[in-house]
Amino acid sequence: MLRSKGVNIKDITKIYVTPNGKEFKAVDNVSIEIKAGEFVTLLGPSGCGKTTTLRMIAGFEVSNEGEIYIGGDMVNNDTPDKRDTAMVFQSYALFPHLNIFDNISYGLKLKKMSKDDIKLKAKEIIDLVGLAGMESRYPNQLSGGQQQRVALARALVMEPGVLLFDEPLSNLDAKLRVQMRSEIRNIQQKVGITAIYVTHDQSEAMSLSDRIIIMNKGIIEQVGTPKEIYYSPATEFVADFIGEANFIGGEIVEVNGGKAKVSVLDKFINTKYSGKKVAGDVCKIVLRPESIIIGDDGNFEGKVISSTFMGAYQDYRIKIKENIISCQDFNPIVKKVYNIGDRITIDFNEENVHII
């Protein structure tokens, strides 16, 4: 049904002028290559440039520098309606005076398609997004999740080469967000459309994406699969933004054959390493809370300063020397539970240690 297109962004920059006349680079020399049929998420905190980047792809913002290609064609000078993209907005932007069928088919009517073709295409999309039987309802008669499906259907029915999402789930409650992100991913994979999704929610990015692009202060910090971003963060910012992380200072003792020996907390650990640091360099290691092994016979001894039952896991804060280490011990009902003030030891496998 859809013919997806790749997107290639080359060195785009967007500069705004502040009220006091100073220039502000919202997006600073960013390059991105997205394959046809790929689901890519732009992720980062407020003000990082992700929405501005999406709006430049859509044509709602004009870049000061750089080039944007969709399906191999440069679109810098094309208006939004000429770019073969469709946007799903945060606010849904549904017409309140039109029923669901008319909202979804609105764009097809503007293209002056025949009534029979409109009916056929609209029905196909309505079935795809699970709105069959609701065609005659109006937006105010729908739940938030149903309104989001209408917005998605209205974009899909135009058969765009690229589907753009601007934080589409931010108005939904937490449980519905989880349900809708699963539905969006399933629909995207079913139709094979290229999707570019903007969010500040790392859980959404992890569950939806083939690749994640982490942005910060107008630049790209890292591009990778969810697994690469989580387990091999390129910077401290990425490690801290995606999930929870412990950062522990250390020193490189030896680098040899893709491995490194590191001095951490007055002990030596070995881990995989392919970076540029050499023996004698200071470093930081990243440890995810769930990867830490706790007990009574580990290598690093500390004191429990916080112990909180979280249902699926017991959450600990452990002080070792001057470091506060966050640990998550899953399925605590079958484990020994440590209390505040208890002595405890931790350990970790070398596969769980990442050097930045």
Side-chain angles (χ1 to χ4, degrees), residues 222 228-235 238-239 286 288 354-356:
Q222 187 172 358
E228 288 168 346
I229 294 286
Y230 189 79
Y231 286 116
S232 303
T235 65
V238 173
V286 180
R288 297 295 183 183
H354 178 69
I355 298 173
I356 56 172

Side-chain angles (χ1 to χ4, degrees), residues 232-250:
S232 303
T235 65
E236 187 171 342
F237 174 84
V238 173
D240 197 37
F241 192 79
I242 290 283
E244 192 175 347
N246 296 294
F247 301 98
I248 307 172

Side-chain angles (χ1 to χ4, degrees), residues 65-188:
E65 300 172 10
E67 299 170 346
I68 299 172
Y69 295 85
I70 297 177
D73 299 320
M74 193 171 82
V75 298
N76 287 51
N77 298 321
D78 292 348
T79 54
D81 59 305
K82 303 295 184 185
R83 293 200 177 196
D84 201 15
T85 63
M87 179 85 82
V88 180
F89 293 96
Q90 178 179 344
S91 61
Y92 314 141
L94 303 180
F95 298 114
H97 62 290
L98 298 181
N99 64 25
I100 301 315
F101 179 86
D102 290 335
N103 259 287
I104 291 171
S105 61
Y106 183 79
L108 300 178
K109 292 175 182 176
L110 291 180
K111 290 174 72 173
K112 302 189 184 303
M113 292 180 63
S114 70
K115 287 186 177 180
D116 287 344
D117 285 344
I118 288 174
K119 188 174 181 180
L120 187 66
K121 283 184 174 293
K123 182 182 184 308
E124 185 179 3
I125 294 296
I126 286 168
D127 290 343
L128 179 68
V129 300
L131 289 171
M134 300 183 186
E135 293 87 345
S136 60
R137 295 188 190 179
Y138 288 82
N140 64 359
Q141 297 173 313
L142 301 179
S143 67
Q146 290 167 339
Q147 289 182 46
Q148 184 60 74
R149 288 191 187 94
V150 176
L152 178 59
R154 187 177 58 184
L156 285 170
V157 80
M158 300 303 293
E159 300 186 0
V162 181
L163 188 57
L164 309 174
F165 294 89
D166 184 13
E167 303 208 40
L169 306 182
S170 59
N171 292 331
L172 304 179
D173 63 57
K175 193 170 184 179
L176 191 52
R177 285 179 76 146
V178 173
Q179 178 186 336
M180 280 304 302
R181 72 193 188 200
S182 176
E183 292 186 18
I184 286 173
R185 180 59 165 157
N186 288 339
I187 290 168
Q188 182 267 337

Side-chain angles (χ1 to χ4, degrees), residues 27 32 86 130 142 152 156 160 183 201 274 306 318 334 337 344 347-348:
V27 177
I32 302 169
L142 301 179
L152 178 59
L156 285 170
E183 292 186 18
D201 186 317
S274 57
S306 172
I318 300 169
V334 298
V337 174
I344 192 172
D347 219 333
F348 33 82

Side-chain angles (χ1 to χ4, degrees), residues 328-354:
Q328 295 171 352
D329 198 22
F330 280 79
N331 199 20
I333 196 170
V334 298
K335 308 276 185 69
K336 176 181 178 179
V337 174
Y338 294 83
N339 298 310
I340 294 173
D342 287 352
R343 303 304 295 178
I344 192 172
T345 67
I346 69 167
D347 219 333
F348 33 82
N349 298 320
E350 65 178 64
E351 291 82 6
N352 297 129
V353 178
H354 178 69

